[in-house]
Amino acid sequence: MTAMIELDLTLPDGATLHVYDAGLGGLPLFWHHGTPNTGAPPAPLLAAAERLGLRWVSWDRPGYGGSSARPDRPVSSAARCAEAVAGALGLGRFAVMGHSGGGPHALACAALLPDRVVAAVAVSSLAPYDAEGLDYTDGMCASGVAALMSAAAGRPAKEAHDAAHGEEYDPEFTAADLAALGGEWGWFGSVVNAAAASGPAPAIDDDLAYVRPWGFDPADIAAPTLLLHGGRDRIAPLAHARWLADRIAGAELRVGEQDGHLSIMRGAEAALTWVAEQGRQPQRR
């Protein structure tokens, strides 16, 4: 398997974006990581992506890992990062895929870069905080509700909440999640631990972004979109994916009825096959 290339990209404003590139040919697939993670593409999917002719490209979101902090960044800022990375690597069209907090960022690229994004996959994604007709916290674990509601109250409240609760956040992983973590998806531990070295600030910026206006409407997404979600997810309840599926024209929703927030990633290899198929379709105008 080809070794991952890492490089530091200097953005027009002088900020640094730490980038990962599989360096292979084929359709680039831009990976958007969750909260709190760094941007290394998911190791359990590297072999499948290479077999399917997909080239992983990703970066540490601002503030994480080797990327400069950008406080108060909106979710829509992911599109600007994607444009910068694509330009630096000489890439034209690409697909996007995000897990958990990376889901909204992947959808931002699909909505705001319609001439570049050929397909979008959002796994275990949240819906917008202001989503009409969605009870945002219904079915969400208590610690998740507390974390996001403190963010909705503003940065000082969010910082105070995180300082008071420290490591007490309980994602209420399902038995299926724990089983996945005990296997190859234990990989998540490596990117969570790497993110911890950056301190709490980038995760605070993420949570603030999730509950503020995203800077785009998911209804503007025209690219083929696949939503993959666990029926027992307590971090991003299934109702969020159903709302997105209703909002994005032609979106396909695949539900793992017995899966939680992490174990649903065991279905991600099939999602890669779907991405490869979309990449072979004539470009839609």
Side-chain angles (χ1 to χ4, degrees):
M1 189 179 299
T2 304
M4 192 68 59
I5 300 166
E6 298 187 38
L7 60 132
D8 288 327
L9 172 62
T10 301
L11 301 176
D13 63 0
T16 297
L17 203 63
H18 187 71
V19 177
Y20 306 78
D21 178 16
L24 301 171
L27 177 66
L29 176 55
F30 284 19
W31 168 252
H32 295 265
H33 66 79
T35 304
N37 294 178
T38 51
L45 297 177
L46 294 180
E50 186 168 349
R51 173 176 52 81
L52 291 165
L54 300 174
R55 171 182 174 178
W56 285 112
V57 175
S58 59
W59 55 90
D60 297 332
R61 207 153 45 242
Y64 290 105
S67 293
S68 303
R70 189 183 295 272
D72 298 317
R73 51 181 163 78
V75 171
S76 60
S77 65
R80 294 195 295 272
C81 291
E83 281 189 303
V85 171
L89 297 179
L91 303 175
R93 300 190 310 151
F94 51 85
V96 294
M97 181 176 185
H99 173 252
S100 188
H105 292 86
L107 295 176
C109 295
L112 298 173
L113 302 174
D115 294 332
R116 308 290 290 273
V117 175
V118 302
V121 180
V123 187
S124 306
S125 180
L126 290 167
Y129 182 64
D130 59 358
E132 185 177 353
L134 174 68
D135 186 341
Y136 189 81
T137 60
D138 184 40
M140 190 177 289
C141 63
S143 54
V145 173
L148 290 171
M149 292 305 95
S150 66
R155 180 177 292 275
K158 174 62 177 171
E159 290 177 341
H161 172 272
D162 284 21
H165 290 80
E167 300 299 320
E168 294 179 19
Y169 181 83
D170 180 6
E172 297 186 22
F173 287 140
T174 66
D177 287 330
L178 296 175
L181 288 171
E184 62 179 356
W185 286 103
W187 166 83
F188 275 114
S190 67
V191 289
V192 170
N193 290 337
S198 301
I204 288 173
D205 287 332
D206 273 350
D207 280 357
L208 289 169
Y210 302 143
V211 298
R212 291 173 174 172
W214 283 7
F216 69 96
D217 186 340
D220 292 336
I221 296 173
T225 301
L226 174 62
L227 304 168
L228 190 61
H229 217 95
R232 298 189 176 185
D233 194 332
R234 298 292 311 282
I235 297 174
L238 178 58
H240 286 241
R242 295 197 188 282
W243 187 93
L244 288 168
D246 288 341
R247 188 76 177 176
I248 302 169
E252 178 184 349
L253 173 59
R254 297 181 184 177
V255 179
E257 295 292 350
Q258 303 305 313
D259 281 310
H261 195 69
L262 301 182
S263 65
I264 191 64
M265 285 296 289
R266 293 183 295 195
E269 186 169 333
L272 295 188
T273 300
W274 178 89
V275 169
E277 291 171 351
Q278 300 306 316
R280 291 192 290 269
Q281 300 299 316
Q283 187 174 5
R284 303 201 312 191
R285 297 289 182 181

